[in-house]
Amino acid sequence: MYQKLEKLLDAQRVEALTRELVSVKSVNGTSGEVAIAAKVESILRSFPFFQQHPEWVWTQELVNDRLGRKNVFAFIKKDEAAKTIIYHSHMDTVGIEDFGALKEAALDSDKLTEYFKKYSEDPDIQKDACSGDWLFGRGALDMKSGDAVNLTNLLYYSEHPQEMAGNLLFMGNCVEENDHSGAIAALDELEKLKKQYHLSYEVAINTDFISPKYEGDQQKYIYYGAAGKALTCFYIKGIETHVAIHMPELILH
Ligand SMILES: [Zn+2]
């Protein structure tokens, strides 16, 4: 992948990487999550810095995971430096069912742009598609563009180590869109690294998407502090009264 990026400006690198990552289907809970981890790992391994230091890219497989999903790590270590910044992002996406008839094009940004350029049913989307400023595709927003930003920044600092005052740790997590088991498992790895290299984690930057707060809001927000997630689930169980005659034990309920 690096060959494709080499001559590009940083913003162009982000776009190229986003397209590349979107093209890999990585719906949460499918083997696509393993494929995207392999893709991210191979992108990292193509960077000249990691070609020279292959040991600084590694994966962490989730314990007892039926799909063998994994987190991907890459580390740029400054000699004697303890201060460390973590760039983290998730690699899975939600499903593509909501694309309906466009399902086949859900991972093809160019095809979707062409489609929406002619989409007069929604002039707003049509205008965006015609502007050339928008990238369509499942995960383009949440959050493969965020993965791409982290990869681009990591590449930049690997090429400009003199601008680094500390260490940079890249972390790509699997299983975000439901249980967060990727990030939870990664905590062990972060603790292990901290002890092994005497690190001090100064800040963790999560590049997941931001969105306007109201119609027409042009402000770009940066949120800071701790983030949490509440997963609300409903389990509703009924009693099959119409089959009660065949299942007498149900009557007891
Ligand atoms: Zn996200």
Side-chain angles (χ1 to χ4, degrees):
M1 183 72 198
Y2 177 72
Q3 279 176 341
K4 274 199 214 169
L5 304 174
E6 198 179 351
K7 298 269 179 328
L8 302 180
L9 300 172
D10 286 327
Q12 294 169 323
R13 286 176 169 182
V14 172
E15 185 177 334
L17 282 166
T18 304
R19 285 174 190 277
E20 185 79 9
L21 294 171
V22 167
S23 73
V24 179
K25 193 172 174 187
S26 58
V27 175
N28 174 279
T30 70
S31 58
E33 284 203 71
V34 181
I36 194 71
K39 169 60 83 178
V40 170
E41 184 185 358
S42 79
I43 291 170
L44 288 161
R45 289 198 184 284
S46 76
F47 295 175
F49 176 84
F50 295 118
Q51 291 269 312
Q52 280 173 17
H53 305 281
E55 71 282 11
W56 290 122
V57 177
W58 71 99
T59 59
Q60 173 203 25
E61 200 166 313
L62 299 195
V63 177
N64 294 330
D65 184 65
R66 68 186 167 86
L67 294 165
R69 287 171 289 187
K70 47 183 93 162
N71 294 318
V72 183
F73 290 88
F75 198 26
I76 305 180
K77 176 97 183 73
K78 274 273 218 202
D79 287 342
E80 308 300 322
K83 288 185 175 180
T84 304
I85 292 175
I86 304 171
Y87 291 153
H88 71 111
S89 47
H90 66 83
M91 306 176 291
D92 56 328
T93 69
V94 293
I96 58 167
E97 296 308 316
D98 53 346
F99 276 75
L102 281 175
K103 229 164 74 175
E104 296 305 314
L107 309 176
D108 189 333
S109 303
D110 292 333
K111 222 182 226 176
L112 289 169
T113 305
E114 286 312 309
Y115 178 85
F116 285 116
K117 274 182 182 172
K118 299 184 202 104
Y119 192 69
S120 53
E121 283 88 337
D122 189 329
D124 209 27
I125 295 182
Q126 194 178 16
K127 199 176 96 212
D128 289 345
C130 291
S131 74
D133 292 335
W134 292 82
L135 194 66
F136 297 85
R138 173 55 79 234
L141 173 71
D142 182 8
M143 65 172 289
K144 288 175 171 175
S145 48
D147 294 310
V149 166
N150 289 343
L151 289 166
T152 300
N153 284 338
L154 198 74
L155 176 58
Y156 175 87
Y157 283 109
S158 75
E159 291 173 332
H160 301 84
Q162 71 283 2
E163 293 180 27
M164 280 173 59
N167 311 308
L168 278 178
L169 178 64
F170 170 92
M171 175 170 88
N173 295 125
C174 55
V175 204
E176 192 270 357
E177 294 292 0
N178 53 3
D179 299 333
H180 276 259
S181 40
I184 293 166
L187 295 176
D188 288 342
E189 195 68 16
L190 295 178
E191 281 296 319
K192 199 175 89 184
L193 287 169
K194 191 175 170 179
K195 283 204 187 88
Q196 197 172 351
Y197 300 107
H198 311 289
L199 305 179
S200 138
Y201 295 127
E202 299 296 312
V203 67
I205 301 171
N206 182 313
T207 46
D208 214 334
F209 71 94
I210 54 164
S211 56
K213 281 190 173 171
Y214 50 87
E215 189 77 31
D217 185 6
Q218 296 296 322
Q219 188 72 42
K220 301 284 185 285
Y221 298 94
I222 293 178
Y223 298 95
Y224 64 93
K229 180 172 176 178
L231 264 184
T232 312
C233 297
F234 296 94
Y235 177 70
I236 300 167
K237 187 172 185 293
I239 293 176
E240 298 172 80
T241 51
H242 64 292
V243 293
I245 194 158
H246 303 297
M247 304 175 74
E249 74 276 11
L250 281 179
I251 294 167
L252 296 173
H253 301 295

